[in-house]
Amino acid sequence: MNHAPPPARLGFLYPGHAAEDDYPLMGSMVQPPAEVTLIHTEFLEDAHTVEALSEMGSVGRLSQGAEALAGSEIESVMWTSTSASFVLGLEGIRQQIDALEKLLGVPASTTAMAFARAVKTIDAKRVAIAATYPKDVAQRFREFLQHFDIEVVHLASRGIITAAEVGTLGKDEVINFALANTREDADALLIPDTALHSAAWLTDLEQATGKPVLTANQVSFWEALRLCGKLTPQSGLGHLFEEAP
């Protein structure tokens, strides 16, 4: 008699309000469905600037959010901001992860680290990036990926300042943005910004571009499952989820 594995219990710390509904959606798309607990973290300013992102991703802000997850029986926790992890560099990310693991006693990671792992998992050597951020912030994502010997062959920045505005972009705009920045010499397209909706359109994005597409919310959810040992092949969530871990 086969017993279905118990559902994964995943915790997400998400700054503000933009595309957080991607997480319960992905929770319902995997088999068995995952239990998603999402906490909105606070910050001083909704802006894709290095200063604002550094405050947003500070250990103090993450610790505040983590307190709301204490006792929730989650099996892993993610800081789901790409930019408010990579702007702090590898040492800053290590501090974020250490703080969350100490506070909650479960494995932790960040969206930036999830991107690095996901790129390696699909064996992409060269990538194109379609970033919604301003140019200086997008450039820091390129620098972050270079630590992992990931070559960036194309980097586009849409120059949107606030996460709230990014969250209003619809399916056609996101697919057109992806298409405009797909490159023949790239093994995959990266779309970093957890404020951008993508979960419902992952199959459409890959069909349109003809490439594996990695989006911020997708890699965050994948990493959360991987951390708690409950990552299994799934359909409908892009190339990344189709491979056995």
Side-chain angles (χ1 to χ4, degrees), residues 2 5 12 23 27 40 42 44 52 56 75 93 129 136 153 169 172 183-184 187 194 196 202 204 206 234 236 240:
N2 287 332
F12 298 95
Y23 290 91
H40 295 278
E42 296 179 2
L44 289 178
M56 185 186 288
E75 297 170 286
I93 290 172
I129 298 171
D136 61 329
V153 297
L169 296 177
D172 289 347
R183 291 297 178 271
E184 196 58 45
D187 301 319
T194 56
L196 188 73
L202 291 165
D204 300 302
E206 292 194 335
Q234 304 285 339
L240 175 64

Side-chain angles (χ1 to χ4, degrees), residues 9 24 26 31 37 40 45 52 110 117 178:
R9 299 187 305 273
M26 287 184 287
Q31 292 300 325
T37 304
H40 295 278
E45 184 186 8
T110 77
R117 283 208 181 90

Side-chain angles (χ1 to χ4, degrees), residues 35-83:
E35 293 175 15
V36 169
T37 304
L38 186 138
I39 300 298
H40 295 278
T41 61
E42 296 179 2
F43 46 82
L44 289 178
E45 184 186 8
D46 176 14
H48 285 129
T49 66
V50 171
E51 187 181 37
L53 291 167
S54 298
E55 193 275 335
M56 185 186 288
S58 66
V59 166
R61 286 293 188 198
L62 295 194
S63 300
Q64 269 181 327
E67 284 170 17
L69 286 171
S72 61
E73 298 190 337
I74 55 168
E75 297 170 286
S76 64
V77 63
M78 290 294 299
W79 167 231
T80 54
S81 173
T82 325
S83 52

Side-chain angles (χ1 to χ4, degrees), residues 6 10 13-14 25 41 60 65 98 102 129 163 165 167 180 218 239:
L10 311 175
L13 296 175
Y14 188 95
L25 175 60
T41 61
D98 282 355
K102 284 192 179 99
I129 298 171
E165 184 184 342
Q218 172 206 35
H239 178 72

